[in-house]
């Protein structure tokens, strides 16, 4: 089923994001992870895709296929374009079509000095236009409540996002953030810009200190004072940080649900315990 159809049928669409394990031996664990995640009955699960030059991308497709065929949950396959040419994208979409995958999160991908960029696609909107000309996949796009790290400013960023939606992005999934006010301001900006597709907030429960540093460096999410205090107080205590990180994420999610958001995209980091605890915490709210 296309995720747009899911959005038409219900409010508060719940999705999980997972990544394919890098090492082949870890691939075995993905079954146990998927079993628990799918048992939580998300509306869809999205599977990340490397920026290029990675054989791991075949794992993305294999995992998506398993999500659909074995667990009967709708998969969304992430697809990046900066390091691929048209022929390679054609090959990926051909396989996706053959596997019955209906949903793609179309992305530019991060720049990586170790992977040469190709020149057919400069922006996610180029990929979306290209796929939409040839296929009827349902396309989602990424969005950034605190602006993309390469952004030239909020107005420019919104102009580019509108272009992405006009090209055919039918749902937007957001980058993680720790301060809901950024999301509310961003969602309001989207409406003002005439973007009327579902805009789904992305939440990552933070459960270890190293993960926080990595995330903030990678995506530029700002840390509110009350969150920094948690890290300061509990950063060295694994169990305490887990509890505090979960409580923080749950309080963000409850606030988002109370504000009637279109959905919730949970960055699970392949941790079913995290996903289960969040689902338990909101079971009477959705
Ligand atoms: P774009 O939409 O192309 O935007 C990138 C930058 O270019 C922005 O600053 C934008 O304002 C600007 N821009 C856009 N269009 C134009 C234009 N026409 N002219 C000038 N500037 C323009 N990365 C992965 O490698 N694999 C994944 O699986 C993955 N999954 C993700 C899932 C989500 C929900 C999110 C939010 C991000 C994900 N990413 C993933 C990261 C993403 O690839 C990076 O953030 C990347 O740097 C930008 O991708 P994009 O699709 O948002 O790019």
């Amino acid at each position: 089923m296309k995720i747009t159809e899911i959005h038409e049928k219900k409010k508060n669409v719940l999705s999980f994001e997972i990544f394919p394990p890098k090492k082949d031996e870890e691939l075995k664990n993905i079954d146990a992870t998927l079993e628990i995640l799918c048992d939580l009955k998300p509306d869809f699960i999205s599977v990340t895709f490397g920026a290029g030059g990675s054989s791991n991308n075949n794992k993305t497709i294999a995992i998506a296929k398993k999500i659909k065929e074995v667990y009967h949950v709708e998969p969304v396959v992430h697809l990046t374009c900066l390091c691929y040419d048209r022929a390679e994208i054609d090959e990926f979409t051909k396989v996706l079509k053959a596997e019955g995958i209906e949903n793609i999160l179309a992305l530019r991908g991060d720049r990586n000095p170790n992977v040469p960029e190709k020149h057919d696609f400069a922006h996610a909107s180029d990929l979306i236009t290209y796929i939409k000309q040839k296929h009827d996949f349902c396309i989602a796009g990424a969005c950034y409540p605190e602006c993309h790290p390469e952004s030239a400013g909020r107005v420019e960023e919104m102009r580019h996002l509108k272009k992405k939606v006009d090209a055919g992005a039918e749902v937007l999934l957001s980058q993680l953030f720790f301060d809901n006010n950024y999301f509310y301001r961003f969602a309001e900006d989207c409406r003002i810009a005439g973007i009327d597709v579902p805009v789904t907030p992305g939440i990552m429960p933070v459960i270890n200190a190293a993960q926080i540093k990595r995330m903030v460096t990678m995506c530029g999410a700002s840390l509110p004072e009350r969150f920094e205090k948690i890290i300061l107080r509990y950063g060295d205590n694994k169990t305490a940080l887990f509890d505090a990180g979960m409580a923080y994420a749950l309080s963000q999610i409850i606030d988002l649900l109370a504000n009637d958001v279109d959905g919730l995209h949970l960055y699970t980091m392949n941790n079913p315990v995290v996903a289960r605890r969040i689902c338990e915490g909101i079971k009477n709210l959705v």
Side-chain angles (χ1 to χ4, degrees), residues 48-49 78 107-110 123-124 142 144 148 157 160 164 267:
T48 66
F49 190 89
H78 296 206
L107 299 151
R108 187 197 72 179
D110 277 327
H123 310 290
Y144 304 83
H148 184 267
E157 183 90 348
H160 297 145
K164 190 170 345 194
Y267 291 96

Side-chain angles (χ1 to χ4, degrees), residues 3 44-47 64 74-78 101 103-105 140 173:
I3 56 175
F44 66 88
I45 297 183
S46 79
V47 192
E74 207 49 56
V76 172
V77 166
H78 296 206
I101 306 287
N103 303 288
I104 294 176
L105 172 56
L173 300 179

